[in-house]
Amino acid sequence: MVCVQNHYNLAHRRDDALIDALAGQGIAYVPFFPLGGFSPLQSQTLSDVAEELGATPMQVALAWLLARGPNVLLIPGTSSVAHLRENLAAAAIELDAQVLARLDGIG
Ligand SMILES: NC(=O)c1ccc[n+]([C@@H]2O[C@H](COP(=O)([O-])OP(=O)(O)OC[C@H]3O[C@@H](n4cnc5c(N)ncnc54)[C@H](OP(=O)(O)O)[C@@H]3O)[C@@H](O)[C@H]2O)c1
């Protein structure tokens, strides 16, 4: 097994323990619905953090996933080139421990 793909994002955290276990075995984890899929993520905390960082809520949601573990790989879906560019730029957003703790509280 090289990769697991399950439903996971800031608000849907059922696989927290699994992600850690897979990381320990060198197995990749690709969350589907990383942005909430058909029900896009909405949270006041997420919006607040995004505003503070000068980013969009979706960018922060992706940055949080990238910070979640070294084995987490992302394929956010979009039909928009502008969103694709925003999503790529999310890889450069660094979240400090305090911000990560606030975002963790969403789940
Ligand atoms: N293994 C499975 O069972 C399974 C199930 C579902 C999905 N998947 C895979 O998981 C990946 C992602 O799933 P998904 O596309 O359904 O869900 P998603 O990535 O969570 O969400 C996609 C939605 O987010 C919007 N979006 C994307 N970037 C955005 C941005 N920067 N700002 C605002 N809105 C943004 C998109 O709208 P716009 O088009 O307007 O950008 C679209 O409505 C895909 O590769 C899919 O194939 C796998």
Side-chain angles (χ1 to χ4, degrees):
M1 191 188 304
V2 296
C3 175
V4 170
Q5 184 170 75
N6 277 345
H7 187 181
Y8 185 82
N9 57 48
L10 251 181
H12 190 96
R13 307 277 294 279
R14 200 170 49 195
D15 273 0
D16 269 331
L18 176 63
I19 291 171
D20 295 335
L22 293 173
Q25 298 173 69
I27 297 172
Y29 185 90
V30 181
F32 75 69
F33 294 163
L35 298 174
F38 300 116
S39 307
L41 292 169
Q42 290 185 33
S43 146
Q44 191 59 52
T45 302
L46 180 59
S47 296
D48 291 346
V49 167
E51 193 176 342
E52 289 163 25
L53 296 177
T56 70
M58 294 309 187
Q59 285 180 312
V60 173
L62 294 175
W64 178 85
L65 281 168
L66 289 172
R68 175 60 186 76
N71 57 330
V72 174
L73 310 177
L74 298 184
I75 313 174
T78 183
S79 57
S80 146
V81 172
H83 284 169
L84 174 64
R85 292 204 173 104
E86 281 180 20
N87 296 346
L88 286 168
I93 297 174
E94 290 188 19
L95 306 175
D96 65 28
Q98 206 177 11
V99 165
L100 286 171
R102 285 165 65 196
L103 294 171
D104 279 339
I106 294 172

